[in-house]
Amino acid sequence: MSCAIAKLDANSADFESALNTLLAWDSVSDPKVNQTVDEIISAVKADGDKAVLHFTEKFDGMLLSHFDELRVPKQRLQQALETIDPVQREALEQAAERIRAYHLHQRQDSWQYREADGTLLGQQITPLDRVGLYVPGGKASYPSSVLMNAIPAKVAGVPELIMVTPTPGGEANDMVLAAAAIAGVDEVICMGGAQAVAALAYGTESLAKVDKITGPGNIFVATAKRAVFGQVAIDMIAGPSEILVYCDGATDPDWIAMDLFSQAEHDEQAQAILISESEEFIAKVQASIDRLLPDLEREAIARASLEGRGALIKVADRQQALDLINRIAPEHLELSVEDPELLLPEIRHAGAIFMGRYTAEALGDYCAGPNHVLPTSGTARFSSPLGVYDFQKRSSLIMCSAQGASDLGKIASPLARGESLEAHARSAEYRILPED
Protein backbone atom coordinates (compact mmCIF):
# COMPACT_ATOMS: atom_id res chain seq x y z
CA MET A 1 0.00 0.00 0.00
CA SER A 2 1.41 3.37 -1.04
CA CYS A 3 2.17 5.86 1.74
CA ALA A 4 0.15 9.02 1.15
CA ILE A 5 2.88 11.44 2.20
CA ALA A 6 2.29 14.98 0.98
CA LYS A 7 4.15 16.16 -2.11
CA LEU A 8 4.68 19.90 -2.28
CA ASP A 9 6.28 22.27 -4.76
CA ALA A 10 7.98 25.27 -3.18
CA ASN A 11 7.10 27.35 -6.23
CA SER A 12 3.37 26.65 -6.25
CA ALA A 13 0.95 29.45 -5.40
CA ASP A 14 -0.44 27.68 -2.35
CA PHE A 15 2.90 26.47 -0.95
CA GLU A 16 3.18 28.98 1.90
CA SER A 17 -0.28 28.09 3.16
CA ALA A 18 0.42 24.37 2.85
CA LEU A 19 3.76 24.77 4.67
CA ASN A 20 2.16 26.71 7.53
CA THR A 21 -0.41 23.95 7.95
CA LEU A 22 2.29 21.29 7.83
CA LEU A 23 4.42 22.99 10.50
CA ALA A 24 1.59 24.00 12.83
CA TRP A 25 2.07 22.55 16.29
CA ASP A 26 0.46 23.85 19.47
CA SER A 27 2.21 21.97 22.27
CA VAL A 28 0.91 21.42 25.78
CA SER A 29 -2.45 23.06 25.20
CA ASP A 30 -5.08 20.54 26.29
CA PRO A 31 -7.33 22.23 28.90
CA LYS A 32 -8.25 18.90 30.52
CA VAL A 33 -4.59 17.98 30.87
CA ASN A 34 -3.83 21.42 32.32
CA GLN A 35 -6.58 20.99 34.91
CA THR A 36 -5.41 17.51 35.91
CA VAL A 37 -1.80 18.67 36.21
CA ASP A 38 -2.77 21.71 38.27
CA GLU A 39 -4.69 19.46 40.68
CA ILE A 40 -1.74 17.07 41.03
CA ILE A 41 0.74 19.89 41.63
CA SER A 42 -1.54 21.48 44.24
CA ALA A 43 -1.90 18.14 46.02
CA VAL A 44 1.86 17.56 46.12
CA LYS A 45 2.48 21.09 47.38
CA ALA A 46 -0.08 20.58 50.15
CA ASP A 47 0.50 16.95 51.14
CA GLY A 48 4.05 16.15 50.02
CA ASP A 49 5.00 12.50 50.48
CA LYS A 50 1.40 11.43 51.01
CA ALA A 51 0.29 12.88 47.65
CA VAL A 52 3.23 11.33 45.79
CA LEU A 53 2.43 7.90 47.24
CA HIS A 54 -1.26 8.34 46.38
CA PHE A 55 -0.59 9.18 42.73
CA THR A 56 2.05 6.45 42.44
CA GLU A 57 -0.56 3.94 43.53
CA LYS A 58 -3.19 5.44 41.25
CA PHE A 59 -1.10 5.66 38.08
CA ASP A 60 1.61 2.99 38.55
CA GLY A 61 -0.24 0.42 40.67
CA MET A 62 2.35 0.52 43.45
CA LEU A 63 0.93 0.43 46.99
CA LEU A 64 3.64 1.78 49.31
CA SER A 65 3.59 3.06 52.87
CA HIS A 66 6.66 5.29 52.90
CA PHE A 67 8.44 7.55 50.41
CA ASP A 68 11.76 5.80 51.01
CA GLU A 69 10.33 2.69 49.34
CA LEU A 70 10.48 4.64 46.08
CA ARG A 71 14.25 5.06 46.32
CA VAL A 72 16.43 2.66 44.35
CA PRO A 73 19.46 1.41 46.33
CA LYS A 74 22.84 2.11 44.75
CA GLN A 75 23.58 -1.62 44.69
CA ARG A 76 20.49 -2.13 42.50
CA LEU A 77 21.98 0.21 39.90
CA GLN A 78 25.25 -1.69 39.96
CA GLN A 79 23.37 -4.99 39.74
CA ALA A 80 21.57 -3.78 36.62
CA LEU A 81 24.88 -2.76 35.07
CA GLU A 82 26.39 -6.17 35.75
CA THR A 83 23.43 -8.23 34.52
CA ILE A 84 22.38 -6.53 31.29
CA ASP A 85 23.52 -8.01 28.00
CA PRO A 86 27.33 -7.50 27.76
CA VAL A 87 26.96 -6.10 24.25
CA GLN A 88 24.45 -3.53 25.50
CA ARG A 89 26.70 -2.63 28.42
CA GLU A 90 29.66 -2.08 26.14
CA ALA A 91 27.53 0.07 23.83
CA LEU A 92 26.30 2.18 26.77
CA GLU A 93 29.83 2.63 28.07
CA GLN A 94 31.23 3.56 24.66
CA ALA A 95 28.39 6.02 24.06
CA ALA A 96 28.91 7.54 27.53
CA GLU A 97 32.61 8.04 26.87
CA ARG A 98 31.94 9.80 23.56
CA ILE A 99 29.24 12.00 25.10
CA ARG A 100 31.54 12.90 28.00
CA ALA A 101 34.46 13.70 25.69
CA TYR A 102 32.31 16.00 23.56
CA HIS A 103 30.78 17.85 26.50
CA LEU A 104 34.15 18.40 28.16
CA HIS A 105 34.82 20.87 25.34
CA GLN A 106 31.81 22.92 26.50
CA ARG A 107 32.99 23.41 30.06
CA GLN A 108 33.69 27.04 30.87
CA ASP A 109 35.88 28.49 33.60
CA SER A 110 35.47 31.66 35.62
CA TRP A 111 37.36 34.67 34.28
CA GLN A 112 38.33 38.18 35.34
CA TYR A 113 40.49 41.10 34.31
CA ARG A 114 41.78 44.32 35.87
CA GLU A 115 41.57 47.75 34.38
CA ALA A 116 44.43 50.24 34.55
CA ASP A 117 43.16 51.82 37.78
CA GLY A 118 42.87 48.46 39.54
CA THR A 119 39.15 47.87 39.06
CA LEU A 120 38.37 44.15 38.72
CA LEU A 121 35.64 42.87 36.41
CA GLY A 122 34.78 39.30 35.54
CA GLN A 123 32.44 36.38 35.78
CA GLN A 124 32.27 33.51 38.27
CA ILE A 125 30.87 30.30 36.82
CA THR A 126 29.47 27.70 39.21
CA PRO A 127 27.37 24.54 38.79
CA LEU A 128 23.78 24.23 39.93
CA ASP A 129 23.48 22.55 43.35
CA ARG A 130 20.70 20.03 42.62
CA VAL A 131 19.22 18.91 39.32
CA GLY A 132 16.25 16.64 38.68
CA LEU A 133 16.31 14.37 35.65
CA TYR A 134 13.03 12.94 34.36
CA VAL A 135 13.30 9.65 32.46
CA PRO A 136 10.19 8.03 30.92
CA GLY A 137 9.28 4.54 32.08
CA GLY A 138 6.76 1.85 31.26
CA LYS A 139 6.52 1.11 27.53
CA ALA A 140 9.01 3.87 26.76
CA SER A 141 12.51 3.35 28.10
CA TYR A 142 15.33 5.58 26.97
CA PRO A 143 18.73 4.85 28.50
CA SER A 144 20.22 7.17 25.90
CA SER A 145 18.29 10.06 27.48
CA VAL A 146 19.87 9.24 30.84
CA LEU A 147 23.33 9.60 29.31
CA MET A 148 22.48 12.77 27.36
CA ASN A 149 21.04 14.57 30.39
CA ALA A 150 23.16 13.25 33.23
CA ILE A 151 26.64 13.40 31.69
CA PRO A 152 26.59 17.14 30.83
CA ALA A 153 25.32 17.85 34.35
CA LYS A 154 28.19 15.90 35.86
CA VAL A 155 30.73 17.51 33.52
CA ALA A 156 29.38 20.87 34.71
CA GLY A 157 30.08 19.78 38.29
CA VAL A 158 26.53 19.33 39.59
CA PRO A 159 27.02 17.59 42.98
CA GLU A 160 23.49 16.16 43.32
CA LEU A 161 21.67 14.67 40.34
CA ILE A 162 18.30 13.12 41.20
CA MET A 163 16.72 10.88 38.56
CA VAL A 164 13.00 10.10 38.66
CA THR A 165 11.39 7.44 36.51
CA PRO A 166 8.00 5.72 36.74
CA THR A 167 8.00 1.96 37.25
CA PRO A 168 4.48 0.69 36.50
CA GLY A 169 3.77 -2.37 38.58
CA GLY A 170 7.13 -1.94 40.24
CA GLU A 171 9.03 -3.06 37.15
CA ALA A 172 12.20 -1.02 36.54
CA ASN A 173 14.05 -1.02 33.23
CA ASP A 174 17.53 -2.45 33.77
CA MET A 175 19.02 -0.57 30.79
CA VAL A 176 17.84 2.72 32.31
CA LEU A 177 19.26 1.80 35.72
CA ALA A 178 22.54 0.68 34.15
CA ALA A 179 22.78 3.99 32.27
CA ALA A 180 22.24 5.82 35.56
CA ALA A 181 25.13 3.89 37.11
CA ILE A 182 27.42 4.69 34.17
CA ALA A 183 26.47 8.38 34.11
CA GLY A 184 27.04 8.89 37.83
CA VAL A 185 23.45 9.67 38.85
CA ASP A 186 23.42 10.24 42.62
CA GLU A 187 19.91 9.01 43.39
CA VAL A 188 17.12 7.24 41.52
CA ILE A 189 13.50 7.51 42.67
CA CYS A 190 10.69 5.41 41.21
CA MET A 191 8.05 8.05 40.57
CA GLY A 192 6.77 9.66 37.42
CA GLY A 193 4.17 11.93 35.88
CA ALA A 194 3.19 15.39 37.05
CA GLN A 195 3.59 14.28 40.67
CA ALA A 196 7.30 13.63 40.14
CA VAL A 197 7.79 17.03 38.52
CA ALA A 198 5.92 18.71 41.39
CA ALA A 199 7.95 16.82 44.02
CA LEU A 200 11.20 17.89 42.38
CA ALA A 201 10.07 21.49 42.01
CA TYR A 202 8.58 22.07 45.46
CA GLY A 203 10.13 19.32 47.54
CA THR A 204 8.40 17.05 50.05
CA GLU A 205 9.15 15.92 53.59
CA SER A 206 11.53 13.29 52.17
CA LEU A 207 12.89 15.06 49.10
CA ALA A 208 14.65 18.40 48.89
CA LYS A 209 13.65 20.59 45.97
CA VAL A 210 15.93 20.88 42.97
CA ASP A 211 17.11 23.92 41.02
CA LYS A 212 16.37 22.62 37.52
CA ILE A 213 14.40 19.81 35.87
CA THR A 214 15.47 18.29 32.56
CA GLY A 215 14.43 15.29 30.51
CA PRO A 216 11.59 14.19 28.23
CA GLY A 217 8.11 12.99 29.15
CA ASN A 218 4.53 12.71 27.98
CA ILE A 219 2.06 15.59 27.76
CA PHE A 220 1.39 15.47 31.51
CA VAL A 221 5.09 15.78 32.26
CA ALA A 222 5.58 18.55 29.70
CA THR A 223 2.56 20.44 31.07
CA ALA A 224 3.84 20.07 34.62
CA LYS A 225 7.30 21.34 33.63
CA ARG A 226 5.72 24.40 32.08
CA ALA A 227 3.60 24.95 35.21
CA VAL A 228 6.56 24.86 37.62
CA PHE A 229 8.85 27.00 35.47
CA GLY A 230 9.89 29.96 37.57
CA GLN A 231 9.85 27.90 40.74
CA VAL A 232 12.65 25.93 39.10
CA ALA A 233 14.42 26.16 35.77
CA ILE A 234 13.59 23.65 33.02
CA ASP A 235 15.42 22.60 29.88
CA MET A 236 12.64 23.14 27.33
CA ILE A 237 9.09 22.23 26.39
CA ALA A 238 9.76 19.75 23.62
CA GLY A 239 7.36 19.03 20.80
CA PRO A 240 7.34 15.93 18.60
CA SER A 241 10.60 14.78 17.05
CA GLU A 242 11.53 16.20 13.63
CA ILE A 243 13.89 15.51 10.77
CA LEU A 244 14.51 17.58 7.65
CA VAL A 245 16.66 16.00 4.96
CA TYR A 246 18.10 18.07 2.12
CA CYS A 247 19.43 15.79 -0.62
CA ASP A 248 20.96 16.61 -3.99
CA GLY A 249 19.61 13.37 -5.46
CA ALA A 250 22.84 11.37 -5.34
CA THR A 251 22.28 9.46 -2.08
CA ASP A 252 20.75 5.97 -2.04
CA PRO A 253 16.97 6.60 -1.78
CA ASP A 254 16.63 3.66 0.62
CA TRP A 255 18.99 5.44 3.01
CA ILE A 256 16.90 8.61 2.84
CA ALA A 257 13.65 6.73 3.35
CA MET A 258 15.02 5.01 6.44
CA ASP A 259 16.34 8.33 7.78
CA LEU A 260 12.81 9.71 7.48
CA PHE A 261 11.45 6.62 9.24
CA SER A 262 13.96 7.07 12.07
CA GLN A 263 11.98 10.04 13.35
CA ALA A 264 8.53 9.08 12.06
CA GLU A 265 8.60 5.92 14.17
CA HIS A 266 8.81 7.95 17.40
CA ASP A 267 5.12 8.82 17.43
CA GLU A 268 2.24 9.78 15.19
CA GLN A 269 2.93 13.50 15.62
CA ALA A 270 6.61 13.28 14.63
CA GLN A 271 7.59 15.10 11.45
CA ALA A 272 9.80 13.90 8.57
CA ILE A 273 10.45 16.14 5.56
CA LEU A 274 12.61 15.72 2.46
CA ILE A 275 13.74 18.65 0.31
CA SER A 276 15.31 18.10 -3.12
CA GLU A 277 15.70 19.84 -6.45
CA SER A 278 15.21 16.52 -8.23
CA GLU A 279 11.65 15.44 -8.93
CA GLU A 280 13.01 12.11 -10.16
CA PHE A 281 14.80 11.54 -6.83
CA ILE A 282 11.68 12.42 -4.85
CA ALA A 283 9.84 9.74 -6.83
CA LYS A 284 12.59 7.23 -6.00
CA VAL A 285 12.32 8.04 -2.29
CA GLN A 286 8.56 7.60 -2.47
CA ALA A 287 9.11 4.18 -4.02
CA SER A 288 11.59 3.29 -1.25
CA ILE A 289 9.11 4.42 1.40
CA ASP A 290 6.37 2.26 -0.10
CA ARG A 291 8.65 -0.77 -0.29
CA LEU A 292 10.37 -0.50 3.11
CA LEU A 293 7.59 0.82 5.33
CA PRO A 294 5.48 -2.38 5.53
CA ASP A 295 8.39 -4.29 7.10
CA LEU A 296 9.02 -1.71 9.81
CA GLU A 297 8.21 -2.92 13.32
CA ARG A 298 6.52 0.39 14.14
CA GLU A 299 4.94 0.64 10.70
CA ALA A 300 1.56 1.93 11.90
CA ILE A 301 3.12 4.76 13.89
CA ALA A 302 5.55 5.73 11.13
CA ARG A 303 2.80 5.66 8.49
CA ALA A 304 0.53 7.88 10.58
CA SER A 305 3.40 10.31 11.09
CA LEU A 306 4.37 10.44 7.42
CA GLU A 307 0.81 10.76 6.17
CA GLY A 308 -0.22 13.27 8.83
CA ARG A 309 2.81 15.56 9.13
CA GLY A 310 5.41 14.41 6.57
CA ALA A 311 6.23 15.92 3.17
CA LEU A 312 8.40 15.53 0.09
CA ILE A 313 9.17 19.05 -1.15
CA LYS A 314 10.50 19.99 -4.58
CA VAL A 315 12.61 23.14 -4.67
CA ALA A 316 13.99 25.02 -7.66
CA ASP A 317 17.59 25.32 -6.51
CA ARG A 318 20.00 25.21 -3.57
CA GLN A 319 19.24 28.76 -2.41
CA GLN A 320 15.54 27.99 -2.18
CA ALA A 321 16.40 24.88 -0.18
CA LEU A 322 18.54 26.91 2.23
CA ASP A 323 15.80 29.51 2.64
CA LEU A 324 13.34 26.75 3.43
CA ILE A 325 15.69 25.13 5.95
CA ASN A 326 16.00 28.41 7.84
CA ARG A 327 12.26 28.95 7.62
CA ILE A 328 11.53 25.53 9.16
CA ALA A 329 14.39 25.63 11.73
CA PRO A 330 14.36 21.84 12.17
CA GLU A 331 15.37 19.84 15.22
CA HIS A 332 17.50 17.49 13.09
CA LEU A 333 18.88 18.60 9.72
CA GLU A 334 20.60 16.15 7.37
CA LEU A 335 22.65 17.69 4.56
CA SER A 336 22.90 14.65 2.32
CA VAL A 337 24.91 16.44 -0.36
CA GLU A 338 28.37 16.32 -1.86
CA ASP A 339 29.74 19.47 -0.17
CA PRO A 340 27.86 19.94 3.12
CA GLU A 341 30.48 22.14 4.79
CA LEU A 342 30.05 24.77 2.07
CA LEU A 343 26.44 25.19 3.15
CA LEU A 344 27.13 25.78 6.86
CA PRO A 345 27.63 29.58 6.64
CA GLU A 346 24.13 29.94 5.22
CA ILE A 347 22.35 27.73 7.77
CA ARG A 348 21.22 29.87 10.68
CA HIS A 349 18.55 27.75 12.35
CA ALA A 350 18.85 24.03 13.17
CA GLY A 351 19.16 22.03 16.38
CA ALA A 352 21.76 19.60 15.05
CA ILE A 353 23.29 19.41 11.58
CA PHE A 354 24.30 16.02 10.16
CA MET A 355 26.66 16.49 7.25
CA GLY A 356 27.28 14.17 4.32
CA ARG A 357 25.69 11.03 2.94
CA TYR A 358 27.06 8.71 5.63
CA THR A 359 25.94 10.68 8.68
CA ALA A 360 22.60 9.22 9.73
CA GLU A 361 20.67 11.21 12.32
CA ALA A 362 20.33 8.04 14.39
CA LEU A 363 24.06 8.18 15.19
CA GLY A 364 23.48 11.49 16.92
CA ASP A 365 20.63 10.04 18.94
CA TYR A 366 22.91 7.54 20.62
CA CYS A 367 26.63 7.81 20.38
CA ALA A 368 28.20 10.45 18.13
CA GLY A 369 28.80 12.71 21.13
CA PRO A 370 26.72 15.89 20.73
CA ASN A 371 23.56 16.08 22.79
CA HIS A 372 20.33 14.67 21.41
CA VAL A 373 18.15 16.99 23.51
CA LEU A 374 17.36 19.58 20.85
CA PRO A 375 14.94 22.45 20.20
CA THR A 376 11.79 21.47 18.27
CA SER A 377 8.83 23.17 16.59
CA GLY A 378 10.88 25.98 15.11
CA THR A 379 12.47 26.96 18.44
CA ALA A 380 15.93 26.38 16.96
CA ARG A 381 15.52 30.01 15.85
CA PHE A 382 16.33 31.02 19.42
CA SER A 383 17.31 27.87 21.34
CA SER A 384 20.30 25.54 21.51
CA PRO A 385 20.96 21.86 22.28
CA LEU A 386 21.19 20.84 25.92
CA GLY A 387 24.75 21.22 27.13
CA VAL A 388 27.11 21.78 30.02
CA TYR A 389 26.17 25.48 29.99
CA ASP A 390 22.60 24.52 30.97
CA PHE A 391 23.87 23.21 34.30
CA GLN A 392 26.03 26.22 35.13
CA LYS A 393 25.17 29.71 36.29
CA ARG A 394 27.14 32.91 36.08
CA SER A 395 27.74 35.64 38.65
CA SER A 396 29.16 38.97 37.55
CA LEU A 397 32.23 40.19 39.44
CA ILE A 398 32.82 43.90 40.11
CA MET A 399 35.44 45.31 42.51
CA CYS A 400 36.30 48.97 42.12
CA SER A 401 39.46 50.66 43.19
CA ALA A 402 39.04 54.10 44.79
CA GLN A 403 39.89 55.81 41.52
CA GLY A 404 37.69 53.44 39.54
CA ALA A 405 34.70 54.10 41.82
CA SER A 406 35.26 57.82 41.44
CA ASP A 407 35.44 57.66 37.64
CA LEU A 408 32.41 55.39 37.36
CA GLY A 409 30.48 57.54 39.84
CA LYS A 410 30.81 60.52 37.51
CA ILE A 411 29.12 58.42 34.81
CA ALA A 412 26.50 56.79 37.01
CA SER A 413 25.36 59.97 38.76
CA PRO A 414 23.88 61.84 35.80
CA LEU A 415 22.32 58.62 34.47
CA ALA A 416 20.67 57.90 37.83
CA ARG A 417 19.40 61.48 38.20
CA GLY A 418 18.07 61.25 34.66
CA GLU A 419 15.95 58.33 35.87
CA SER A 420 14.90 60.25 39.02
CA LEU A 421 16.64 57.73 41.27
CA GLU A 422 18.30 60.06 43.78
CA ALA A 423 19.61 57.38 46.15
CA HIS A 424 21.36 55.66 43.27
CA ALA A 425 23.02 58.93 42.32
CA ARG A 426 24.03 59.89 45.84
CA SER A 427 25.36 56.37 46.55
CA ALA A 428 27.69 56.75 43.58
CA GLU A 429 28.51 60.39 44.37
CA TYR A 430 29.69 59.57 47.91
CA ARG A 431 32.60 57.70 46.35
CA ILE A 432 33.72 60.42 43.97
CA LEU A 433 37.16 61.61 45.02
CA PRO A 434 37.61 65.32 45.70
CA GLU A 435 39.37 67.29 43.02
CA ASP A 436 42.98 68.18 43.78
Side-chain angles (χ1 to χ4, degrees):
M1 180 173 64
S2 178
C3 178
I5 185 171
K7 294 184 179 62
L8 305 177
D9 189 322
N11 291 293
S12 65
D14 63 347
F15 176 70
E16 188 63 26
S17 174
L19 182 64
N20 287 336
T21 300
L22 181 72
L23 299 179
W25 174 254
D26 187 12
S27 64
V28 196
S29 60
D30 188 319
K32 292 183 178 179
V33 172
N34 289 337
Q35 181 179 351
T36 299
V37 167
D38 286 344
E39 291 171 355
I40 292 172
I41 292 175
S42 295
V44 172
K45 287 172 65 177
D47 297 326
D49 288 357
K50 180 181 176 182
V52 171
L53 293 173
H54 165 72
F55 291 119
T56 300
E57 179 184 358
K58 180 177 180 180
F59 297 122
D60 293 337
M62 296 170 60
L63 180 59
L64 305 172
S65 58
H66 195 277
F67 189 95
D68 284 344
E69 296 176 72
L70 296 171
R71 301 184 194 274
V72 179
K74 276 289 182 69
Q75 57 266 33
R76 175 69 179 89
L77 304 185
Q78 191 61 34
Q79 178 190 25
L81 181 60
E82 293 171 359
T83 56
I84 61 171
D85 184 295
V87 174
Q88 292 178 327
R89 174 174 178 169
E90 183 178 5
L92 280 175
E93 290 175 337
Q94 289 178 335
E97 185 53 40
R98 294 186 61 86
I99 294 165
R100 186 174 291 107
Y102 178 86
H103 286 85
L104 280 169
H105 287 280
Q106 295 180 341
R107 192 162 55 185
Q108 297 178 341
D109 297 320
S110 301
W111 54 269
Q112 56 185 244
Y113 64 93
R114 288 188 182 272
E115 297 183 323
D117 62 14
T119 294
L120 180 148
L121 300 173
Q123 193 173 73
Q124 180 167 290
I125 299 175
T126 55
L128 302 182
D129 286 341
R130 282 173 59 85
V131 170
L133 164 57
Y134 191 96
V135 177
K139 293 181 180 178
S141 60
Y142 299 111
S144 60
S145 287
V146 178
L147 302 182
M148 292 289 183
N149 283 266
I151 290 174
K154 283 302 178 182
V155 169
V158 173
E160 290 187 82
L161 181 58
I162 315 302
M163 187 179 103
V164 298
T165 183
T167 53
E171 292 295 323
N173 183 281
D174 278 357
M175 282 279 283
V176 167
L177 298 183
I182 291 170
V185 170
D186 297 287
E187 184 172 17
V188 177
I189 302 175
C190 296
M191 61 179 178
Q195 64 271 23
V197 174
L200 290 171
Y202 294 97
T204 73
E205 302 92 327
S206 302
L207 179 67
K209 63 172 291 186
V210 301
D211 301 310
K212 186 167 190 171
I213 300 173
T214 72
N218 62 20
I219 190 171
F220 291 93
V221 172
T223 302
K225 286 171 66 177
R226 173 173 286 179
V228 302
F229 175 64
Q231 177 70 23
V232 293
I234 61 173
D235 48 356
M236 63 184 73
I237 301 295
S241 189
E242 308 160 356
I243 186 170
L244 174 61
V245 180
Y246 171 44
C247 187
D248 56 13
T251 305
D252 188 324
D254 283 2
W255 293 11
I256 300 300
M258 199 58 65
D259 291 351
L260 297 175
F261 294 167
S262 72
Q263 298 311 294
E265 71 175 353
H266 271 295
D267 65 68
E268 293 85 349
Q269 297 299 313
Q271 185 156 74
I273 297 173
L274 169 66
I275 298 174
S276 181
E277 298 98 329
S278 171
E279 192 166 342
E280 179 184 0
F281 182 70
I282 288 175
K284 289 180 179 179
V285 172
Q286 174 74 70
S288 293
I289 289 172
D290 293 340
R291 177 168 47 81
L292 297 172
L293 184 57
D295 294 331
L296 204 64
E297 183 177 344
R298 296 169 68 90
E299 184 265 346
I301 293 173
R303 182 180 296 274
S305 166
L306 292 169
E307 294 185 343
R309 302 196 71 221
L312 307 175
I313 302 176
K314 165 93 167 50
V315 292
D317 52 35
R318 174 168 287 189
Q319 189 56 55
Q320 190 171 50
L322 291 167
D323 291 343
L324 192 53
I325 287 168
N326 287 319
R327 163 74 174 80
I328 295 172
E331 177 189 17
H332 305 103
L333 170 64
E334 282 190 11
L335 299 177
S336 193
V337 298
E338 188 63 33
D339 50 359
E341 291 180 82
L342 293 180
L343 304 185
L344 283 181
E346 297 190 68
I347 294 171
R348 303 189 307 279
H349 310 307
I353 304 170
F354 301 81
M355 297 185 291
R357 308 191 196 285
Y358 296 101
T359 315
E361 183 280 330
L363 301 180
D365 278 345
Y366 294 105
C367 57
N371 210 286
H372 78 193
V373 181
L374 302 166
T376 62
S377 306
T379 60
R381 290 177 293 108
F382 51 81
S383 298
S384 305
L386 189 73
V388 172
Y389 36 77
D390 288 297
F391 300 100
Q392 295 175 320
K393 52 189 174 63
R394 295 153 186 81
S395 301
S396 299
L397 301 178
I398 307 169
M399 184 171 70
C400 292
S401 64
Q403 185 61 54
S406 180
D407 293 341
L408 291 176
K410 294 173 184 177
I411 300 171
S413 174
L415 294 175
R417 292 191 180 278
E419 295 180 353
S420 298
L421 295 174
E422 181 189 3
H424 280 68
R426 291 176 65 179
S427 174
E429 289 163 0
Y430 282 166
R431 292 165 172 82
I432 296 177
L433 298 173
E435 298 291 341
D436 293 334

